[in-house]
Every structure is written in structure tokens, then in C-alpha cells.
Amino acid sequence: MRVMRKEATPKRQNIFTETMETFHRAADLIGMHPRVRLELEEPDFEHIFYVTLDLRDRLVALPETDEEAARFKDLPSSSVKAGEALEPLANGDFVLHRRALLNADITVREGVIRIGSRGLFRMVKGEPRKFKAYRIQHNQVRGPYKGGVRFHKDVSLDLFKTLAAEMTWKTAIVDIPFGGAKGGIRIDPQAYSKEEMEHLTLRYVYKLKNLMGPFLDIPAPDVNTNAQIMAMMMRQYTDGERFRHALRGVVTGKDVRIGGSEGRLKATGQGVVYCIEEWARDKGFQLRGARVLVQGFGNVGSSAAEILAGMGAKIVAVNDANGTIHRDEGIDVAALIRYVHENPENLKKTVLGFPGATPISRADFWKVDADIAVPAALGGEIDGNVAETIRVKLVVEGANGPTTPDGDRVLAARKIELIPDIIANAGGVTVSYYEWLQNQRMEHWTEQEVNSRLERAIKSNLAVIRDIARDKPAKTASHDSRPFCIGKAVDMRTAAMVLALKRIEAHYLLEGFSQ
Ligand code: NAD
């Protein structure tokens, strides 16, 4: 039974209210205690703040096609001897370090300069700038808040509320003692230098310091953040603290050399693959030779692709923010990883231009004939239209929220199976927990130890979710779904939420409420 709401006017739908539909559906199905529902339907805390940054001087590209550029046609080229003092940015601009002027032969007119074959640039003086930052702490009944930090131009309060809530469900599903949080900064990282991003990261931690901690809120990498950013966050948080080594677990996703866990880098992709393996085992489907579409070739997409290719699957098409590539016989994933991630000239880290495959359009990507699709980019990609065109048997959500409610309905109508994000991409946070445990114990586990624990956590909980979905309560040596089945069959997304909510609700029911 749905709790009666006081508001007379219906709320406008946004990404948060839309994704919370699954929560309400599952809460109805388990007859959730009304007060627990109120506790969970909004975050505990929504922190919105600003971080400021001193920008460096820049050379901002002035395309020759620009009307203004015509006035500088005859501007002689300047020669900058210290080439490395012009630091290229992924958006085509340059950071202009002062040493670029040493021994240089420069002609500047009205602030415009021509640099050899690179073209015309406007010199723009560095200035302070402010950026909106967020940390949403959704729920901590099962343990400290836990969730990634995203640096992206399209983030919003509703998006972070959605992602923070998803972390609460996810940590419950893999049964680790954490709650849910998410945060980040509204910024286009492609327009800023490494040093500027570092300063911004440090400032973010400076502002958040009182709200985070190994037993309070534990950030991790997400879109456009990585092990290096985590290292800086840890240093900023722990520097000067008397027991700083006891605080290592304040962030996860660190480099293994500074307290990170073996297997963490690939953990989310590995978790995606454990889900696929378990699905294939259940269906008697042969993964060797299986055809796979991968959207997003960042941390999650490239790891999942690499592991699947290692198992003999064929990655037939890859799409990212800048392009799409296709090769019917299967793309050489190791070569693609070298091209995207180990190639300093590929500033955008894109698959576009990879010589071992054919470029195709983004629309055609979803039409490529395959067995499995792994969306591992951003949310909202598989909408009703894409779901109509996609030709696969299984969608495994590597990304958070890649399928819209419309997409869900169409996939279900077309009998395309789905493994929802809150289990499919839970590998990252699971190994984050192992990293946190190793930090508390000052231990270092082997990759094999990490992966065998991860495999058990993902496969046994996926089996519970499948039993809930089919309403087939069972107890085996590795899982027990009897306490979670609800007496009727439901879709996989609802089943996953049922598992999460039953585990979370138990805390409130057994512990009661502080008054
Ligand atoms: P990443 O920054 O390493 O890579 C993101 C990839 O998505 C890049 O290849 C980028 O080009 C691509 N992309 C961005 N916008 C796109 C668009 N509009 N169309 C197509 N491709 C686009 O990020 P990541 O860490 O791999 O995360 C990917 C997704 O997985 C996100 O939804 C994230 O929330 C989710 N996730 C990540 C982790 C983790 O451990 N990294 C854990 C759980 C969930």
C-alpha cells in the first residue's frame, strides 16, 4: 500500500522522481513500513556549495572561419621555443605558462597570436572562477555513506540525488556495510588543465572535510575522476592528521601502491562480466563467440570489453562520446585500449579514428546485430526508440541508469532480458569495501583473493534477485532467496529493489528510530 501523500498538486517528473518509481513499486510489494518509506524517499542531507579556482592564462582558439579572424590574416607566426610551456587542453585551447615567453619571437596584435600550424589564438588572462559542487548523502542506516565523485558539465541536484539513492540500494544488494552518497562538480574537465583540476579537487575536499571520513562518507571515482584524483583527495584529507594512516579508507579507488586494492581498477567491469557469466550459465548460453556491443570505453566499458574478449567473446561495436566504431569479426580490444588509454596524443580518450575498425553513426550503433549490450557511458541512453531498434538478447547495465522507464517497457515487451545497474555495476563498490577493509587492517590481498570474493558476492546476489523475479524461493550452498521472495513474479529491476529494500528495512524494524 502506497503511503498517502499530503501534497494536493502532483509533483513534476524529473530524473529523481522517475527513477524512484522502482523504489515505490518495490516498497508497495513488500508492504514497507510507512515511516521507513519516508526515511528513504529523500536523501538524509543535500550539500550544495561552491568551489573557486584561479585559472591560468590561456590561448583560446580563434577558428580561421570566424569573422573576427579575417582581421588577423596577415599576422606573422610567433615562434615559441619552450613548446611544452603551451599545454594542450582536450577542447583545443592551450594553457599559456609564462616560460613560453622565454627566448620566444612573438607578435601579438589586439591580444591575438598566431602559433605556426596550430592557427590563431586569443590570449585570455587567467581569472578566478566559481563552480557549483555537490555531495548528496542519501542514507547511512547500513553503514557510512559511500559513493563516487563525478566531474561533468551536465550534473544537477536531481541527478546526484538519483545516483546517491542508487548507491544505497547497491550497497544493500551486495550486502556490504555501507550506505549511499554521490557528488561532484559541475564542470567540463576538457576545458581545464591537470593542475587546475588538481586545485579544484583539493578545494572540494577542503570544503567537504567535516562531512567525510572513513566511518562517515567515503568517496570513490566516477565519470572523469580516477585513482589520481583519489590520491589527491586522500592526501588533502589526511595531511597533518596525527593518525593519518588510520584514515586511508577515507576514499577508495586509490592506486594499489598507496593503499588501493588489487582488482579495484577493473572491478566494475569484472562485476558486469560475472553477471553475464551467471546469466549464460543459467541459460546454457555459450559466451565464446558471443557478439557484444559496448557503449562507453572508459573505466567500466574498456574493462568489461577486455575481460569478455579474453573469454572469447567478440566486441563488434563500441560507441563513446566522440564516435562509434564497428568490426563484424570482433575488434582487437587490447589494441583499442592502447589507442584510447595509452596514447598521449588521444587527448579525448576516444575510440574515434581507431584504425582497426570502421566508423559508423551513433544511430547505427544500436542497430548492430549482437547477443549482449553493455551500456557503460551515461544515463538515459536506452530510451523507447533505442529499445525498439536494439537487436540483442540481454542488456547489462554497466552505467548508472542507462535505460529509461520507456526503454524498460519496450525491452520487456520485446522479451529482451535485463540485468539492472544496481547489481550489474556493483562490482566497483564491492571491491571498494574490500579496499576499505584492507586499509582498516593494514593488509594487502592478492587479485585472486579479491576476485574470488567479488565473484561470490555478485553471482550469489544475482541468483537471489533471479529467484525473486521468478518467485522461486530456494536455498543452495551459495545462496538463500527464501527470506526475499514476495509470492509473485516481478521484473528483474523490481526484484533487485525488493532485495535492497528488505535488507535496509530490517535495520529500521530491528533498531527502531531515534527520537
Ligand atoms: P569514464 O569517465 O571512465 O568513461 C566514460 C565513457 O563514457 C567514456 O568513454 C566517454 O567517452 C563515454 N561517454 C560519455 N558521454 C557519452 C555519450 N553521450 N555517449 C556515448 N558515450 C559517452 O567513466 P566510468 O567510470 O567508466 O563510468 C561509466 C558509467 O559507469 C557511469 O554511468 C558511472 O556512473 C558508472 N559506474 C562506474 C563505476 C566505476 O567504478 N568507475 C562504478 C559503478 C558505476
Side-chain angles (χ1 to χ4, degrees):
M1 248 245 309
R2 184 80 171 260
V3 176
M4 289 293 290
R5 287 152 192 266
K6 288 222 175 84
E7 299 97 310
T9 45
K11 279 189 179 167
R12 209 161 48 90
Q13 282 288 77
N14 60 39
I15 181 176
F16 179 64
T17 53
E18 209 170 67
T19 49
M20 286 297 279
E21 290 293 318
T22 312
F23 163 79
H24 286 297
R25 197 166 51 245
D28 286 344
L29 283 167
I30 67 168
M32 178 179 261
H33 187 293
R35 187 160 172 195
V36 178
R37 188 193 295 244
L38 292 181
E39 289 283 333
L40 291 170
E41 70 181 4
E42 293 289 343
D44 287 350
F45 301 101
E46 297 172 3
H47 305 286
I48 302 181
F49 51 103
Y50 288 88
V51 283
T52 58
L53 171 70
D54 278 322
L55 290 191
R56 291 277 185 185
D57 298 338
R58 274 169 161 61
L59 295 181
V60 175
L62 188 62
E64 301 278 354
T65 48
D66 200 294
E67 257 177 45
E68 210 192 338
R71 291 197 288 121
F72 301 100
K73 251 193 159 77
D74 58 336
L75 189 68
S77 184
S78 294
S79 143
V80 176
K81 304 274 184 326
E84 85 289 356
L86 294 181
E87 188 185 342
L89 300 178
N91 70 349
D93 296 345
F94 288 88
V95 165
L96 175 64
H97 295 282
R98 299 252 159 93
R99 64 182 186 282
L101 305 178
L102 295 174
N103 300 322
D105 185 0
I106 284 179
T107 312
V108 181
R109 194 197 301 157
E110 297 170 48
V112 173
I113 183 171
R114 181 187 297 282
I115 310 264
S117 57
R118 288 164 172 166
L120 289 170
F121 292 87
R122 178 166 293 289
M123 296 168 98
V124 177
K125 190 176 162 1
E127 55 175 17
R129 192 168 291 180
K130 76 171 189 286
F131 300 87
K132 201 164 191 172
Y134 303 82
R135 186 68 183 173
I136 308 305
Q137 296 170 325
H138 177 260
N139 189 272
Q140 61 157 345
V141 75
R142 300 185 68 259
Y145 298 112
K146 181 85 190 85
V149 175
R150 181 176 292 199
F151 292 166
H152 198 271
K153 60 185 180 352
D154 297 327
V155 298
S156 64
L157 174 61
D158 286 326
L159 177 69
F160 282 131
K161 280 173 69 175
T162 305
L163 297 171
E166 296 232 322
M167 289 307 295
T168 303
W169 322 140
K170 209 177 288 189
T171 47
I173 281 176
V174 282
D175 211 3
I176 58 178
F178 286 149
K182 204 83 174 195
I185 303 178
R186 192 179 172 92
I187 185 173
D188 176 8
Q190 301 208 336
Y192 298 89
S193 71
K194 228 174 133 183
E195 183 196 55
E196 288 165 341
M197 293 310 295
E198 172 171 350
H199 290 174
L200 206 63
T201 301
L202 300 183
R203 196 70 189 160
Y204 182 73
V205 175
Y206 170 79
K207 289 248 170 148
L208 264 188
K209 181 150 181 177
N210 284 330
L211 302 168
M212 58 193 276
F215 286 90
L216 184 54
D217 185 352
I218 308 155
D222 189 69
V223 175
N224 291 323
T225 57
N226 54 23
Q228 198 172 3
I229 302 266
M230 293 308 115
M232 295 173 204
M233 292 182 77
M234 177 178 74
R235 193 235 308 148
Q236 177 75 7
Y237 183 85
T238 60
D239 245 8
E241 295 290 338
R242 183 147 179 243
F243 298 115
R244 72 187 183 94
H245 298 296
L247 303 173
R248 261 182 214 173
V250 65
V251 289
T252 58
K254 303 182 288 288
D255 189 300
V256 285
R257 291 166 295 184
I258 58 166
S261 176
E262 300 291 345
R264 173 61 183 88
L265 199 59
K266 292 189 184 168
T268 307
Q270 181 69 68
V272 166
V273 176
Y274 287 144
C275 285
I276 294 174
E277 266 189 327
E278 177 57 20
W279 173 85
R281 191 200 55 75
D282 181 60
K283 297 274 162 196
F285 179 85
Q286 182 58 254
L287 280 179
R288 179 160 290 282
R291 297 163 60 81
V292 185
L293 304 179
V294 178
Q295 186 192 38
F297 205 70
N299 176 294
V300 181
S302 66
S303 308
E306 188 181 17
I307 300 165
L308 284 168
M311 294 164 63
K314 285 189 209 165
I315 312 301
V316 287
V318 180
N319 161 259
D320 72 15
N322 300 288
T324 311
I325 56 170
H326 173 235
R327 185 166 184 268
D328 215 49
E329 308 77 50
I331 292 165
D332 178 345
V333 176
L336 185 60
I337 288 176
R338 283 196 297 278
Y339 177 82
V340 174
H341 294 290
E342 292 157 26
N343 172 6
E345 278 167 25
N346 191 345
L347 287 175
K348 292 190 172 168
K349 298 198 179 301
T350 174
V351 300
L352 187 70
F354 177 61
T358 315
I360 59 169
S361 75
R362 189 179 167 83
D364 283 345
F365 169 73
W366 294 114
K367 295 183 191 148
V368 174
D369 192 27
D371 299 300
I372 299 166
V374 180
L378 299 182
E381 289 291 324
I382 304 185
D383 56 12
N385 290 335
V386 168
E388 285 290 357
T389 48
I390 197 166
R391 290 153 65 192
V392 295
K393 299 180 179 67
L394 173 71
V395 172
V396 190
E397 296 186 324
N400 285 313
T403 314
T404 65
D406 259 355
D408 264 355
R409 279 185 282 275
V410 176
L411 291 181
R414 293 186 58 214
K415 306 236 171 325
I416 295 174
E417 294 194 55
L418 180 122
I419 302 181
D421 47 6
I422 47 180
I423 174 78
N425 67 31
V429 75
T430 308
V431 176
S432 276
Y433 169 56
Y434 303 155
E435 176 176 338
W436 182 88
L437 272 182
Q438 290 169 76
N439 291 162
Q440 300 310 324
R441 300 177 183 174
M442 296 278 192
E443 285 179 2
H444 188 88
W445 304 352
T446 64
E447 185 171 2
Q448 198 190 11
E449 192 171 351
V450 169
N451 280 345
S452 68
R453 282 180 188 242
L454 175 64
E455 179 169 8
R456 242 179 296 136
I458 296 283
K459 289 187 176 175
S460 64
N461 285 301
L462 182 58
V464 174
I465 293 169
R466 200 173 47 218
D467 288 356
I468 299 171
R470 293 175 182 166
D471 194 30
K472 293 245 161 64
K475 180 171 172 18
T476 68
S478 56
H479 85 292
D480 183 359
S481 59
R482 292 170 307 170
F484 303 107
C485 289
I486 50 172
K488 68 183 266 197
V490 290
D491 60 87
M492 286 288 279
R493 196 183 298 288
T494 309
M497 187 65 85
V498 163
L499 174 60
L501 296 190
K502 283 205 170 201
R503 284 191 176 139
I504 296 165
E505 190 188 38
H507 281 263
Y508 288 103
L509 297 185
L510 294 169
E511 295 171 26
F513 297 88
S514 310
Q515 306 290 341

